[in-house]
Amino acid sequence: MKLWLFIAKRIVFAFIAIIGLTFIVFILLHTAGNNLLLSEYINPRLTGPAREQVIHELTLKFHLNDPIYVQYFYWLVAIFSGDLGYTNTPIYSGPVSGAIALFLPNTILLTIIASILIWIIGVPIGVRSAVKRDSAFDQSVRVVSFALYSMPIYLVAFLLILVFGVYLKILPFAFSLSPTLASNLSWYVNGVSYPTHIV
């Protein structure tokens, strides 16, 4: 099989898989009902006819009275036109694209740091385990690896913060910034550091 044909097939299969997965997730989200879907767009303090009017307008805008596959089609059109929707959380309220732009630098920074640590720590440990196969060191690494792999990532992160930040005090995990110092920093605005958003 020619390479270009293989690559083309993989791209087509990947596209079909993405469409299938997003359609399944789209259906699952709609099983909760329209009120939950629209709650992100409606002011919770809004009541009475004004609330009903907003619900009616949003229902028409998002084609919620149409069949699910029609709604999915309009959702795809919106996605490909750059409209990723709206989010309303205690941390951020606004367009999803704005949230991505706000927090993506932080995510990239953490990914780079994690990748460097993997190479510095993980590769030497893996090489030593391979060289000293079935030794006490290899068995210990295997047990710790399986234990950490089986735990939820947020629990592992919390334990690492406790060990290295609270008990051993090797790494900082939080600190406060002096308002006087912050006023002189161009990258620190209203409690947020730019562009990484890490204090």
Side-chain angles (χ1 to χ4, degrees):
M1 180 184 294
K2 295 181 179 178
L3 181 60
W4 68 267
L5 187 60
F6 174 77
I7 293 173
K9 282 185 176 180
R10 299 297 292 182
I11 291 172
V12 169
F13 287 142
F15 180 77
I16 292 171
I18 290 170
I19 293 295
L21 285 171
T22 55
F23 186 62
I24 291 169
V25 172
F26 191 82
I27 292 173
L28 291 174
L29 286 173
H30 280 68
T31 56
N34 293 343
N35 288 337
L36 183 62
L37 293 171
L38 297 178
S39 62
E40 296 291 325
Y41 296 85
I42 300 173
N43 186 338
R45 296 185 184 91
L46 196 63
T47 58
R51 181 181 178 85
E52 294 302 320
Q53 178 64 27
V54 171
I55 290 175
H56 176 70
E57 290 172 1
L58 290 172
T59 300
L60 292 177
K61 178 182 177 181
F62 296 124
H63 307 276
L64 296 178
N65 290 330
D66 293 330
I68 191 73
Y69 57 87
V70 175
Q71 295 178 42
Y72 179 72
F73 170 77
Y74 282 109
W75 178 79
L76 276 182
V77 170
I79 290 293
F80 285 115
S81 63
D83 180 10
L84 302 179
Y86 183 86
T87 182
N88 184 16
T89 67
I91 299 173
Y92 174 85
S93 293
V96 172
S97 55
I100 292 173
L102 189 65
F103 296 108
L104 185 61
N106 187 15
T107 304
I108 292 173
L109 178 65
L110 292 174
T111 303
I112 291 171
I113 293 172
S115 300
I116 292 170
L117 288 175
I118 287 170
W119 281 96
I120 292 175
I121 298 172
V123 172
I125 289 175
V127 169
R128 184 169 177 190
S129 293
V131 170
K132 298 183 177 291
R133 183 172 176 155
D134 294 329
S135 65
F137 177 81
D138 181 41
Q139 297 289 348
S140 301
V141 168
R142 204 175 300 172
V143 169
V144 172
S145 298
F146 281 126
L148 292 175
Y149 189 75
S150 63
M151 293 168 64
I153 190 68
Y154 58 85
L155 182 59
V156 174
F158 181 70
L159 291 175
L160 291 174
I161 289 171
L162 282 178
V163 171
F164 293 103
V166 177
Y167 297 119
L168 298 179
K169 300 187 186 322
I170 296 173
L171 298 173
F173 63 92
F175 63 90
S176 59
L177 190 62
S178 166
T180 306
L181 175 63
S183 64
N184 297 323
L185 298 175
S186 61
W187 49 265
Y188 188 80
V189 182
N190 296 328
V192 178
S193 60
Y194 293 87
T196 63
H197 302 281
I198 297 178
V199 178

